[in-house]
């Protein structure tokens, strides 16, 4: 065996070890990964059966319906497609119609997303009043970056 051939075998063995390690790591993480889908993604690709997923968008106006017990049905929309969601439990304080929401759960057999957890999020343009005032004083305030809380309240 020539020296060149020996190096080639060593390099191939190293690559095989690295590929095996990567495959083992990816397999171990696969069960713990939770992918995020928009309603348009769900419409185009569907949700994987039996896998936990996160969906996100805005709670459609007029879609929140409180059912028996602590169960709630609502529609998540991204403006293009809608997805019906059911949730059993107490909703977060920031949850309301027209607000951003992320729901984690699984697709039901009836096509309705069965949420196990609902996370409401505030407007991504939100900025604390103190920060907005500081930016205004420094001349760095950019209105396109968001409305200050004082302006939102009409002050």
């Amino acid at each position: 065996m020539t020296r060149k051939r020996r190096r080639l075998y060593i390099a191939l063995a190293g690559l095989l070890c690295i590929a095996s390690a990567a495959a083992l790591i990816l397999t171990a993480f696969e069960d713990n990964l939770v992918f995020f889908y928009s309603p348009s993604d769900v419409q185009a690709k569907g949700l994987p059966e039996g896998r936990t997923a996160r969906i996100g968008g805005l709670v459609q106006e007029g879609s929140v319906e409180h059912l028996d017990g602590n169960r709630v049905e609502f529609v998540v929309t991204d403006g293009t497609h809608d997805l019906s969601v059911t949730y059993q439990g107490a909703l977060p304080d920031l949850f309301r119609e027209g607000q951003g929401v992320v729901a984690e759960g699984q697709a039901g057999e009836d096509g309705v997303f069965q949420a196990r957890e609902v996370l409401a999020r505030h407007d991504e343009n939100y900025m604390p009043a103190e920060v907005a005032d500081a930016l205004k004083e420094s001349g760095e305030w950019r209105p396109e970056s968001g409305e200050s809380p004082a302006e939102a309240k009409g002050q």
Side-chain angles (χ1 to χ4, degrees):
M1 180 180 293
T2 65
R3 188 175 177 174
K4 189 175 181 180
R5 183 168 282 225
R6 190 177 323 146
R7 275 192 258 156
L8 176 67
Y9 287 138
I10 291 172
L12 289 175
L15 287 175
L16 183 63
C17 288
I18 291 171
S20 298
L24 288 173
I25 290 170
L26 291 175
T27 302
F29 281 124
E30 186 177 340
D31 291 336
N32 295 326
L33 291 177
V34 179
F35 293 101
F36 179 84
Y37 298 90
S38 70
S40 292
D41 292 338
V42 172
Q43 182 72 23
K45 303 173 194 168
L47 287 173
E49 262 185 55
R51 294 239 9 197
T52 300
R54 285 186 173 184
I55 60 157
L58 298 174
V59 178
Q60 191 172 46
E61 298 283 341
S63 68
V64 178
E65 187 175 340
H66 295 274
L67 304 174
D68 58 335
N70 217 4
R71 209 173 80 167
V72 179
E73 286 184 3
F74 56 95
V75 174
V76 175
T77 183
D78 61 0
T80 306
H81 292 96
D82 303 334
L83 181 64
S84 296
V85 178
T86 62
Y87 176 67
Q88 177 83 32
L91 290 168
D93 291 338
L94 293 173
F95 181 89
R96 62 179 176 265
E97 295 176 355
Q99 196 70 30
V101 67
V102 174
E104 183 176 318
Q106 296 181 340
E109 293 176 5
D110 55 356
V112 176
F113 189 80
Q114 309 291 325
R116 188 176 52 213
E117 182 179 8
V118 173
L119 306 169
R121 51 184 193 176
H122 57 74
D123 186 359
E124 55 272 357
N125 294 327
Y126 173 78
M127 186 176 299
E130 297 82 11
V131 175
D133 292 339
L135 288 174
K136 285 180 181 178
E137 287 180 11
S138 68
E140 293 296 320
W141 174 251
R142 296 186 183 106
E144 67 273 6
S145 65
E147 179 179 39
S148 75
E151 290 172 344
K153 292 178 183 175
Q155 297 175 350

